[in-house]
Amino acid sequence: MPRSLLAIGAHAADFVWRAGGALAVTADAGGRASVLSLSYGERGESGELWKEEGQTVENVKRIRRGEAERAAEALGASFRCLDLGDYPLVVEGETLATLTDAIRELAPDVIVTHTDRDPFNPDHPVAFQAVERARALAAGAGVESAFETIRPPELLLFEPHQPELCNFTPTTFLDITPVIERKRAAMAEMKAQRYLQEYYGQRAEQRANHARRVSGNREIRFAEAFQRYLPQVVAEL
């Protein structure tokens, strides 16, 4: 059966760098690829745009929304932003309920999101904690509850910019070789953060080297890394 994947980022561009390949692979397999952004990253993630004289928050949001929508389209994914604001990102009370409702509505098989630590970006750990809580609320721990629940989605963490400083240890490598050009096209749309395009292009090659060594599959040229947050349930080893 085709799988459904939901990438949840603190900011509008987070999904592109860290899970763009995974979204494209899911879409190519006939699955549903969805992106949910908690904010547009208009304050702390749009440095290039703020160099323009007379820039405004609303205009930055408009630009970032357009970039993210085009990037998601290149990957075969849908894009939605909750527009909660960034730096600081706050997800509590009604906004947590909104996130929970979105997860319940999409009912994904897999959720990918940030790590629980990032010493350079205060919004990323907030996003992780919000997603962890919202996922649990939407699934109801897999038991009967007084509210509507969904089947518990798998939860994986995507690779941060500084993995060694963010408690990130890869446990899963995904071959994205067949979709690398689509990921590059999506990254190219995020013009407010051009500096990350080269970095994550190089990272895809480095992770492919690890994937080749682990699997013996010499055809893997580009890969994305993920860390499983919850145990995987299987019928056999």
Side-chain angles (χ1 to χ4, degrees):
M1 293 290 293
R3 302 265 279 172
S4 58
L5 173 66
L6 172 60
I8 304 180
H11 313 107
D14 288 332
F15 75 95
V16 176
W17 325 114
R18 301 168 174 89
L23 290 162
V25 167
T26 298
D28 276 6
R32 186 179 75 243
S34 307
V35 177
L36 187 62
S37 178
L38 302 183
S39 78
Y40 288 110
E42 65 271 12
R43 287 163 50 86
E45 300 279 302
S46 306
E48 292 299 316
L49 297 177
W50 285 106
K51 294 178 181 179
E52 299 178 14
E53 186 176 355
Q55 189 61 275
T56 66
V57 166
E58 289 308 314
N59 189 52
V60 171
K61 285 184 180 182
R62 179 187 61 80
I63 294 171
R64 293 279 284 183
R65 180 173 61 250
E67 290 180 346
E69 288 175 346
R70 291 190 296 273
E73 183 178 3
L75 300 170
S78 64
F79 174 82
R80 184 194 312 182
C81 182
L82 300 186
D83 195 11
L84 304 182
D86 68 318
Y87 281 75
L89 173 68
V90 178
V91 190
E92 298 174 352
E94 291 185 7
T95 54
L96 179 63
T98 299
L99 174 58
T100 301
D101 287 343
I103 293 175
R104 188 180 290 116
E105 173 192 341
L106 292 167
D109 296 305
V110 182
I111 295 174
V112 293
T113 193
H114 297 277
T115 53
D116 63 355
R117 174 174 170 76
D118 190 328
F120 302 111
N121 194 309
D123 289 351
H124 291 172
V126 172
F128 163 79
Q129 294 185 14
V131 171
E132 182 189 32
R133 291 182 65 192
R135 174 200 168 277
L137 289 168
V143 299
E144 293 299 324
S145 304
F147 47 86
E148 181 184 355
T149 61
I150 61 173
R151 181 177 178 178
E154 297 178 46
L155 180 59
L156 284 79
L157 313 180
F158 46 48
E159 183 160 19
H161 195 183
Q162 296 89 9
E164 298 85 357
L165 304 180
C166 298
N167 294 343
F168 181 83
T169 301
T171 60
T172 303
F173 294 112
L174 176 67
D175 180 10
I176 64 168
T177 307
V179 298
I180 188 60
E181 292 306 321
R182 289 169 61 186
K183 177 169 182 173
R184 285 174 174 155
M187 291 195 297
E189 292 291 349
M190 311 311 295
K191 297 178 176 58
Q193 293 176 285
R194 289 190 178 93
Y195 63 95
L196 287 176
Q197 296 177 25
E198 181 179 0
Y199 176 86
Y200 275 98
Q202 294 173 345
R203 180 59 64 172
E205 295 185 60
Q206 293 164 353
R207 291 311 190 186
N209 177 62
H210 298 160
R212 287 194 300 273
R213 289 178 175 271
V214 169
S215 67
N217 182 354
R218 299 182 180 180
E219 301 303 313
I220 301 176
R221 311 313 304 175
F222 302 93
E224 287 177 342
F226 299 88
Q227 178 177 342
R228 287 193 174 275
Y229 182 71
L230 296 172
Q232 185 179 24
V233 178
V234 298
E236 59 184 21
L237 295 180

